[in-house]
Amino acid sequence: DAKTTQPNSMESNEEEPVHLPCNHSTISGTDYIHWYRQLPSQGPEYVIHGLTSNVNNRMASLAIAEDRKSSTLILHRATLRDAAVYYCILRDGDAGNMLTFGGGTRLMVKP
Amino acid sequence: NAGVMQNPRHLVRRRGQEARLRCSPVKGHSHVYWYRQLPEEGLKFMVYLQKENIIDESGMPKERFSAEFPKEGPSILRIQQVVRGDSAAYFCASSPPGKVGQSYGYTFGSGTRLTVV
């Protein structure tokens, strides 16, 4: 899987939007952009994924740059329960199926 | 719909004993993955299995560790002669079979926390 770069940590205020960036300048044409999060003492949780177009689901939105070299996970209204480590992962749709986790971004939400 | 079920949630073993970790994937999912997370570290891939086959075990230590996913029953991660360095959280994930060119989210279990004393 191609490499991604994320900030180590970010802070947000409760009930405000949060934009979590991810750079993936070496992304290939068949790489999907996946986001997972891991709450304290829990297993990772799937958040969203996309290929080229922006995606929305009940948890978040994924904005993908036109050149696909970066993407942003958007939490529209952060809650204290959104405090977690967020992982941006590239996964080749044509190759083997495992996910390779990097360091992620630790999101802290202040009340 | 039940998610990925892992048991036990917590497992304590003495050095030299065997640890068996079980994972029941989401119904209909035929792909299982095991990951290990050492204290204060990231998730590391261990092994990828499909029913009765090991597809990729590139992250599995060469000795003492083995995994299986039989035709019937859960996937098992087995650690023989455990040592203190095996203390970690072990997570299992499952995914449905997919076509080349597609991508899909994984469902993770809550993990088994192994403590070797």
Side-chain angles (χ1 to χ4, degrees), chain B residues 16-19 63-66 78-83 86:
Chain B
Q17 290 185 320
E18 178 179 286
E63 297 178 351
R64 302 188 298 107
F65 285 72
S66 62
R78 183 178 174 211
I79 311 172
Q80 294 179 291
Q81 299 175 320
V82 296
V83 301
D86 297 332

Side-chain angles (χ1 to χ4, degrees), chain A residues 21-62:
Chain A
C22 181
N23 287 322
H24 28 78
S25 58
T26 58
I27 191 170
S28 73
T30 55
D31 283 333
Y32 285 76
I33 302 158
H34 283 243
W35 284 82
Y36 285 77
R37 71 179 185 180
Q38 187 175 22
L39 279 66
S41 301
Q42 294 190 28
E45 176 186 25
Y46 167 79
V47 178
I48 200 166
H49 78 279
L51 184 61
T52 56
S53 304
N54 295 345
V55 185
N56 299 295
N57 65 22
R58 63 175 179 81
M59 289 182 70
S61 296
L62 176 59

Side-chain angles (χ1 to χ4, degrees), chain B residues 17-71:
Chain B
Q17 290 185 320
E18 178 179 286
R20 279 186 181 238
L21 287 61
R22 286 176 290 278
C23 168
S24 296
V26 173
K27 188 176 180 181
H29 285 191
S30 56
H31 299 199
V32 164
Y33 315 82
W34 285 92
Y35 286 79
R36 178 166 68 172
Q37 188 168 35
L38 295 168
E40 303 303 321
E41 292 191 15
L43 288 139
K44 302 295 182 190
F45 167 78
M46 297 182 75
V47 62
Y48 161 36
L49 309 105
Q50 295 179 16
K51 283 286 186 182
E52 300 186 279
N53 287 307
I54 295 174
I55 307 302
D56 183 344
E57 55 182 347
S58 58
M60 193 92 105
K62 293 286 184 278
E63 297 178 351
R64 302 188 298 107
F65 285 72
S66 62
E68 63 177 11
F69 187 18
K71 188 176 180 181

Side-chain angles (χ1 to χ4, degrees), chain B residues 63-111:
Chain B
E63 297 178 351
R64 302 188 298 107
F65 285 72
S66 62
E68 63 177 11
F69 187 18
K71 188 176 180 181
E72 302 291 337
S75 175
I76 306 287
L77 179 68
R78 183 178 174 211
I79 311 172
Q80 294 179 291
Q81 299 175 320
V82 296
V83 301
R84 287 227 171 97
D86 297 332
S87 295
Y90 292 82
F91 293 101
C92 170
S94 73
S95 67
K99 298 177 184 176
V100 168
Q102 286 186 345
S103 194
Y104 33 78
Y106 288 12
T107 303
F108 280 82
S110 298

